[in-house]
Amino acid sequence: HRMCPLGWLAVASLCLGTLWAVPAKERRKVEKPKADPTLYENLDLGNYDLTLDNYGDILDLSNYEELYDYGDLVPKIEVGTLAPRPKDPKTLPELGETTAGPPNLQPPSAAVPPAPIPGQALPCCLLCLCLGSSVYCDDAGLERIPALPPDTAFLYARFNRIGAVRAGDFSGLEKLKRIDLSSNSISWVDADAFRLLPGLQELLLPENRLRALPELPRSLVRLDASRNRIPSAGMRPEAFRDLKQLQFLHLSDNQLDFIPVSLPESLRSLHLQNNNIRTMHEDTFCDSQEQGQIRRALEDIRLDGNPINLSLFPNAFFCLPRLPTGRF
């Protein structure tokens, strides 16, 4: 059956009332158009993985200046060349005008040693340690003997680079008793460097480069010139005859060909090991004309490390308290 127009009007009013009863927010949801899925069909999002390998392909920043135009935001700075340094020191600006940092302060003048006068040696006690009459210059980088105080009695200048000893190095040092120049590079000694020292008792020159033995004072008690390059030709004949107080004579590790002659009766220790001694005289230690001679002082004789056969000279040791150390 057909609905009357009045019935249609009632149905329409009921639907309109229901529509207005829905909240505005719900209506907007309903009215929002759905996105068309066909818009994304042409986009390939399957390989959109950002890794270190494809970072440079996806993001190209080499032309960033073309992408962004900063215009006048960054002011332009013109860089020119530096002005040449003025040759006249007077034209240089003051230190306070050129830098804001602290000035380079110099130490007080009292802490700075005075500059040496040209041709004059630097005072010894500025280079070495002076304690009373002893001067210690060990390992001080010396290349020559420094100017010593006049009351010096003991000098220790070991482990340096001293190459020569001159006659004037010890001039006027009458109180000098001991000189220790071990482990240097001494290859030359003037004739009067030690001979004119009246009180010198100990002269130590081991581990140097000596090729000749210097002249020695008569007051000498101990001489050590071991580990040098001294041949027998580098010693004067009877060099030790007048040294009546000599007790210790050490000449090991040199280039000696024979045992020194005319050794004083005061000698107690004679070290000649590691040389090139091949023979000896029967009168080297004992006087063959005096069968009753006894040299009680000479107790330490070392001839080991030489090519000499001591058994070939049985009559050379009859006056000694004990036999020399060596090959028999």
Side-chain angles (χ1 to χ4, degrees):
H1 63 274
R2 294 183 180 179
M3 186 177 294
C4 64
L6 184 57
W8 283 107
L9 181 60
V11 172
S13 299
L14 181 61
C15 293
L16 183 60
T18 304
L19 180 61
W20 284 107
V22 178
K25 184 176 180 180
E26 296 296 332
R27 287 200 306 269
R28 284 194 297 269
K29 279 187 180 181
V30 176
E31 295 174 357
K32 183 176 180 180
K34 294 183 180 180
D36 190 357
T38 59
L39 296 177
Y40 299 97
E41 292 178 356
N42 296 327
L43 293 180
D44 184 10
L45 300 179
N47 295 327
Y48 195 75
D49 294 329
L50 188 59
T51 63
L52 294 177
D53 297 331
N54 60 11
Y55 184 82
D57 299 334
I58 298 174
L59 301 177
D60 185 10
L61 300 179
S62 60
N63 57 347
Y64 70 95
E65 293 182 352
E66 299 177 1
L67 298 177
Y68 299 95
D69 185 10
Y70 292 97
D72 296 333
L73 294 178
V74 181
K76 296 182 179 180
I77 301 176
E78 296 182 0
V79 180
T81 58
L82 295 176
R85 183 180 180 88
K87 297 181 180 180
D88 188 3
K90 296 181 179 180
T91 61
L92 291 174
E94 295 295 334
L95 180 63
E97 299 177 1
T98 57
T99 177
N104 185 14
L105 299 178
Q106 297 294 331
S109 57
V112 180
I117 302 174
Q120 180 179 357
L122 194 64
C124 175
C125 294
L126 292 179
L127 299 172
C128 310
L129 177 63
C130 299
L131 294 176
S133 60
S134 300
V135 178
Y136 299 90
C137 298
D138 292 344
D139 198 13
L142 299 179
E143 296 182 358
R144 56 165 297 175
I145 304 296
L148 299 172
D151 60 343
T152 301
F154 306 94
L155 172 64
Y156 302 89
R158 300 164 291 191
F159 311 107
N160 285 286
R161 299 191 298 270
I162 300 173
V165 180
R166 302 301 180 182
D169 290 341
F170 304 107
S171 178
L173 300 177
E174 298 181 357
K175 299 180 180 180
L176 200 55
K177 296 181 179 180
R178 178 171 184 167
I179 298 177
D180 192 345
L181 299 175
S182 307
S183 302
N184 277 276
S185 303
I186 301 173
S187 58
W188 177 260
V189 178
D190 286 348
D192 294 337
F194 305 117
R195 185 173 61 88
L196 300 180
L197 298 176
L200 187 62
Q201 297 180 1
E202 296 183 76
L203 179 58
L204 309 179
L205 299 169
E207 297 185 13
N208 278 282
R209 302 175 182 176
L210 288 173
R211 295 185 177 275
L213 201 62
E215 297 187 31
L216 305 170
R218 295 185 178 184
S219 59
L220 203 62
V221 176
R222 179 183 179 188
L223 173 63
D224 188 350
S226 57
R227 296 184 293 281
N228 277 274
R229 306 172 184 178
I230 303 174
S232 293
M235 295 188 300
R236 295 182 299 106
E238 301 182 348
F240 308 103
R241 182 185 58 184
D242 296 331
L243 305 183
K244 303 301 183 180
Q245 302 182 44
L246 186 63
Q247 299 183 23
F248 305 91
L249 177 58
H250 295 173
L251 296 173
S252 60
D253 296 275
N254 276 283
Q255 301 174 10
L256 301 179
D257 299 323
F258 57 83
I259 300 173
V261 296
S262 301
L263 296 173
E265 292 290 331
S266 59
L267 196 62
R268 298 173 53 188
S269 176
L270 176 64
H271 288 185
L272 299 174
Q273 67 268 28
N274 301 325
N275 278 280
N276 195 33
I277 299 173
R278 297 179 178 274
T279 187
M280 63 180 296
H281 299 286
E282 289 189 353
D283 292 342
T284 299
F285 301 114
C286 305
D287 188 355
S288 59
Q289 302 299 324
E290 297 184 9
Q291 294 297 324
Q293 179 189 13
I294 299 178
R295 297 190 64 169
R296 299 186 184 276
L298 191 53
E299 297 182 350
D300 178 23
I301 301 176
R302 291 195 56 181
L303 290 169
D304 49 304
N306 286 278
I308 186 174
N309 187 351
L310 298 178
S311 61
L312 301 177
F313 310 94
N315 297 326
F317 317 117
F318 71 88
C319 67
L320 301 177
R322 57 176 53 92
L323 291 176
T325 301
R327 183 170 63 93
F328 288 90

